[in-house]
Amino acid sequence: MKEEQLRQLIDGCIRQDRKSQKEVYKAFYSFAMHICLRYAADRDEAAGLANEGFFKAFTKINSYDVARPFRTWLGRIMTNVAIDHYRANLKMAYNEDLDQAIHLGHDEVASARLNYNDLLDMVQRLPRSYRTVFNLYAIDGYTHEEIGELLDISPGTSKSCLFKARAKLKQWIQDSDAPAPGKTYGSAENYLPIVAFNGAMVPPRDIMKGIDRNETGYR
Amino acid sequence: MKRDIDKQLDDLFKNSLAEPQHKVPHREEEWDALAQRLDGASGNKKIIALWWPISTAAVLLVAVGLWVLMPKAIKQKQQPQTAVIKKNLIEDTNDQKESPAQAALPVDVSNSKPQRLAANNINVAPRTLDRTAVNRQGALPSQPTQVTNLLPNDAAATDQPPASDNGQAPVGTTVTEQPVIAANTLPANNTAVAATTIVGADSMNNNIAATRDIAQVTAEQNKASIKTSASSFRPQFALSFMGAPEVNGLGAMLNVESGLNVGLLFSASVNRFKLSTGAAYSIKRYGSSYDPWGYMAVARGYSQANVRSGIIDIPLNLDYQLYSHAQNKFSVGAGISSYIMTSQNYQYSYIDPDFNPTEMSIGTTDRYFASTMNLQVTYTRQLTPKFGLSFQPYFKLPLKQIGDSQSKLQTAGLAIGVNWNLNTLRKK
């Protein structure tokens, strides 16, 4: 989208013009969803976060500084919405004890066969607190001190969550490199998504009965 | 080595997830849900814009209604004192004969009594006036005539010369020079008020001389001539501890839940006005259709959230006293409240009981300045000079959305309070 066109649409959003808002929504939906998908457990939750983020963006559009990139501003809103969502769900946070986490060897973790969907699935399978800390630190570039302030936790807790998140991810990557019977990660051709509904794992075959992969879009 | 592995892992996810190339297409139903929320947000602003005139009109209606419906005797007692001033222009004896003495009586007889005048601290100056007061029979008054002249200049008091200006009494009258009581306190340019009062000595016996013109002086003018006690402008400070059962709801208050409100208020009263502020902690429960998960919640059969919020209410109210008799007082008031929301708890129920989560708690503190408009009617019963009880039905109308659910919370309740006057207003 050209800068001038975007400026006109933002002006329309300031006037609460619904058509302009929809154009902005369509233009930045994918960008917003990619952020929310990393912080959410599944696509529906991510859609809810994106919906909330766009709502805040459209209702607070007057606070947007036109001298700065709209994309950055919107991305920050989405991240903040995800953080708010995490804080609002602290009681539900699934703090899995990973003290017994498998100590992995120092093998290389990069796997050429892991694509976006595989990695996203792994991140989404992380417990909420680990997922949030990993996203903020590894992908969005926050420090442990900043994460501590954002999530109302100590920097030490943030480091602990990051350590345990990495351990989980390493384990799953190793598993995907050596697929066992029933494991689907890494097999790009026969990939079936594992979707977590409320923490309960639904077998891929059941999921695929009612969902067309093309309709779900993002996969 | 381990750090390298960690960085390698981080980079793997960052490169893949931070800026993915493929697009995630939007869903029309998600946009529809968002557009509906946006419509609701803009619609609420229109409702708020209407609340101000509606609320103001409601308060005025209640105030006027109470005033009109109030018993007449009470109104008269509360009305400011009106001095009825008469100018006795004795022109002929026929008029005197046709003027019944009773008709010449002031409406507020007490104002014509010298005792009351003295009690009101009117400046009394002995004066000799060549005007006369005669009784109906033309006989010499048995008691001295009292003249209260509220004008600084006698000439300004009337457009007709007094009968005695030439020093001669009208035919048929008995002229006497009597000491008078005069109060020369009105401004000199206030010539519109015919302010010469000549009340014959017989007025004490309801035998007052004939009167032609009657003018009224308003209470303000009268008060201006009266040295008012300074104590009436002293503020009355008081503390009130109040507790209130209340109901809370959104929209048309169709789905209300009960709550509780306790607080401590400080007030300062001057004349009929009372300004009060303080803090009250309230636990508000209400039903909400808040959907924190957006589209996902719909898919999960989400139905209703029961919200329980802890709120510190900081009001600033102004009350006007409509009625005061003995120990009883009625007042109406309005004001604004700022909310500090200390906690929020949402209990969710789903059509499918297996769905989760069922609860969401938010411990962060949110502040909403001037978020609510207060309307209240207060009845106060003074038990002792220090202590009193108050009963206050109130209504709180939303000016802003509050909470994570962005709710337009309305509250109605009945506050019961104990008042403690910090100072007394006894005249020394």
Side-chain angles (χ1 to χ4, degrees), chain B residues 372-391:
Chain B
T372 306
M373 183 170 72
N374 304 324
L375 299 173
Q376 67 267 352
V377 178
T378 309
Y379 165 70
T380 305
R381 172 79 178 179
Q382 200 67 30
L383 302 177
T384 71
K386 280 285 187 182
F387 287 96
L389 291 177
S390 64
F391 301 88

Short mmCIF file of all heavy atoms in Angstrom, two decimals, chain B residues 372-391:
data_model
loop_
_atom_site.label_atom_id
_atom_site.label_comp_id
_atom_site.label_asym_id
_atom_site.label_seq_id
_atom_site.Cartn_x
_atom_site.Cartn_y
_atom_site.Cartn_z
N THR B 372 -18.40 9.09 36.16
CA THR B 372 -19.79 8.84 36.53
C THR B 372 -20.45 10.12 37.02
O THR B 372 -19.81 10.94 37.68
CB THR B 372 -19.85 7.79 37.66
OG1 THR B 372 -19.13 6.63 37.25
CG2 THR B 372 -21.29 7.39 37.95
N MET B 373 -21.70 10.28 36.67
CA MET B 373 -22.46 11.42 37.20
C MET B 373 -23.38 10.93 38.31
O MET B 373 -24.04 9.90 38.17
CB MET B 373 -23.29 12.07 36.10
CG MET B 373 -24.03 13.31 36.60
SD MET B 373 -24.78 14.25 35.30
CE MET B 373 -26.11 13.18 34.87
N ASN B 374 -23.42 11.67 39.39
CA ASN B 374 -24.21 11.29 40.56
C ASN B 374 -25.46 12.16 40.65
O ASN B 374 -25.40 13.38 40.46
CB ASN B 374 -23.40 11.47 41.84
CG ASN B 374 -22.11 10.70 41.82
OD1 ASN B 374 -22.05 9.59 41.27
ND2 ASN B 374 -21.06 11.26 42.39
N LEU B 375 -26.57 11.53 40.96
CA LEU B 375 -27.81 12.25 41.26
C LEU B 375 -28.34 11.68 42.56
O LEU B 375 -28.39 10.46 42.73
CB LEU B 375 -28.84 12.04 40.14
CG LEU B 375 -28.47 12.54 38.76
CD1 LEU B 375 -29.51 12.11 37.74
CD2 LEU B 375 -28.33 14.05 38.77
N GLN B 376 -28.71 12.56 43.49
CA GLN B 376 -29.18 12.04 44.76
C GLN B 376 -30.18 12.97 45.42
O GLN B 376 -30.20 14.18 45.16
CB GLN B 376 -28.00 11.80 45.72
CG GLN B 376 -27.28 13.02 46.20
CD GLN B 376 -26.08 13.36 45.35
OE1 GLN B 376 -25.70 12.59 44.46
NE2 GLN B 376 -25.49 14.51 45.60
N VAL B 377 -31.03 12.37 46.22
CA VAL B 377 -31.96 13.10 47.09
C VAL B 377 -31.65 12.65 48.51
O VAL B 377 -31.50 11.46 48.77
CB VAL B 377 -33.42 12.77 46.73
CG1 VAL B 377 -34.37 13.50 47.66
CG2 VAL B 377 -33.70 13.14 45.29
N THR B 378 -31.53 13.61 49.43
CA THR B 378 -31.09 13.26 50.77
C THR B 378 -32.10 13.76 51.81
O THR B 378 -32.53 14.92 51.77
CB THR B 378 -29.72 13.88 51.07
OG1 THR B 378 -28.83 13.55 50.01
CG2 THR B 378 -29.16 13.35 52.38
N TYR B 379 -32.47 12.87 52.70
CA TYR B 379 -33.25 13.26 53.87
C TYR B 379 -32.34 13.13 55.09
O TYR B 379 -31.72 12.09 55.30
CB TYR B 379 -34.47 12.35 54.03
CG TYR B 379 -35.12 12.47 55.39
CD1 TYR B 379 -35.80 13.62 55.76
CD2 TYR B 379 -35.02 11.44 56.32
CE1 TYR B 379 -36.38 13.74 57.01
CE2 TYR B 379 -35.59 11.54 57.57
CZ TYR B 379 -36.27 12.69 57.92
OH TYR B 379 -36.83 12.82 59.15
N THR B 380 -32.28 14.19 55.87
CA THR B 380 -31.42 14.20 57.06
C THR B 380 -32.26 14.45 58.30
O THR B 380 -33.09 15.37 58.33
CB THR B 380 -30.33 15.28 56.94
OG1 THR B 380 -29.62 15.08 55.72
CG2 THR B 380 -29.37 15.21 58.11
N ARG B 381 -32.04 13.65 59.28
CA ARG B 381 -32.71 13.82 60.57
C ARG B 381 -31.63 14.11 61.61
O ARG B 381 -30.77 13.26 61.88
CB ARG B 381 -33.46 12.54 60.93
CG ARG B 381 -34.04 12.53 62.33
CD ARG B 381 -35.32 13.32 62.41
NE ARG B 381 -35.92 13.27 63.75
CZ ARG B 381 -37.03 13.90 64.08
NH1 ARG B 381 -37.66 14.62 63.17
NH2 ARG B 381 -37.52 13.82 65.29
N GLN B 382 -31.68 15.33 62.17
CA GLN B 382 -30.68 15.72 63.14
C GLN B 382 -31.11 15.22 64.52
O GLN B 382 -32.15 15.65 65.05
CB GLN B 382 -30.52 17.24 63.12
CG GLN B 382 -29.22 17.74 63.70
CD GLN B 382 -28.03 17.36 62.85
OE1 GLN B 382 -28.12 17.22 61.64
NE2 GLN B 382 -26.88 17.13 63.50
N LEU B 383 -30.32 14.35 65.10
CA LEU B 383 -30.67 13.78 66.40
C LEU B 383 -30.20 14.68 67.54
O LEU B 383 -30.92 14.91 68.51
CB LEU B 383 -30.07 12.39 66.54
CG LEU B 383 -30.51 11.38 65.46
CD1 LEU B 383 -29.79 10.06 65.67
CD2 LEU B 383 -32.01 11.19 65.48
N THR B 384 -28.98 15.15 67.43
CA THR B 384 -28.43 16.09 68.40
C THR B 384 -27.73 17.18 67.60
O THR B 384 -27.59 17.06 66.37
CB THR B 384 -27.41 15.38 69.32
OG1 THR B 384 -26.24 15.08 68.55
CG2 THR B 384 -27.97 14.10 69.91
N PRO B 385 -27.29 18.23 68.24
CA PRO B 385 -26.56 19.25 67.47
C PRO B 385 -25.34 18.68 66.77
O PRO B 385 -24.87 19.24 65.78
CB PRO B 385 -26.16 20.27 68.55
CG PRO B 385 -27.21 20.14 69.58
CD PRO B 385 -27.58 18.69 69.62
N LYS B 386 -24.84 17.57 67.24
CA LYS B 386 -23.64 17.00 66.64
C LYS B 386 -23.95 15.87 65.67
O LYS B 386 -23.31 15.72 64.64
CB LYS B 386 -22.72 16.47 67.74
CG LYS B 386 -21.88 17.55 68.44
CD LYS B 386 -20.74 18.01 67.55
CE LYS B 386 -19.82 18.96 68.30
NZ LYS B 386 -18.73 19.46 67.44
N PHE B 387 -24.90 15.03 66.02
CA PHE B 387 -25.12 13.81 65.26
C PHE B 387 -26.46 13.82 64.52
O PHE B 387 -27.44 14.39 65.00
CB PHE B 387 -25.07 12.59 66.18
CG PHE B 387 -23.69 12.25 66.64
CD1 PHE B 387 -23.23 12.69 67.85
CD2 PHE B 387 -22.85 11.49 65.83
CE1 PHE B 387 -21.95 12.40 68.28
CE2 PHE B 387 -21.57 11.19 66.24
CZ PHE B 387 -21.12 11.64 67.47
N GLY B 388 -26.46 13.18 63.38
CA GLY B 388 -27.68 13.05 62.62
C GLY B 388 -27.62 11.81 61.75
O GLY B 388 -26.57 11.20 61.56
N LEU B 389 -28.80 11.43 61.27
CA LEU B 389 -28.90 10.29 60.35
C LEU B 389 -29.32 10.80 58.99
O LEU B 389 -30.06 11.79 58.88
CB LEU B 389 -29.94 9.28 60.85
CG LEU B 389 -29.61 8.50 62.12
CD1 LEU B 389 -30.80 7.61 62.49
CD2 LEU B 389 -28.36 7.65 61.91
N SER B 390 -28.85 10.14 57.96
CA SER B 390 -29.25 10.54 56.62
C SER B 390 -29.62 9.32 55.79
O SER B 390 -29.05 8.23 55.97
CB SER B 390 -28.13 11.32 55.93
OG SER B 390 -27.00 10.50 55.76
N PHE B 391 -30.59 9.52 54.91
CA PHE B 391 -31.04 8.48 54.00
C PHE B 391 -30.99 9.08 52.59
O PHE B 391 -31.61 10.12 52.35
CB PHE B 391 -32.46 8.03 54.35
CG PHE B 391 -32.57 7.49 55.75
CD1 PHE B 391 -32.84 8.34 56.81
CD2 PHE B 391 -32.36 6.14 56.00
CE1 PHE B 391 -32.92 7.87 58.09
CE2 PHE B 391 -32.46 5.66 57.30
CZ PHE B 391 -32.72 6.52 58.35
#
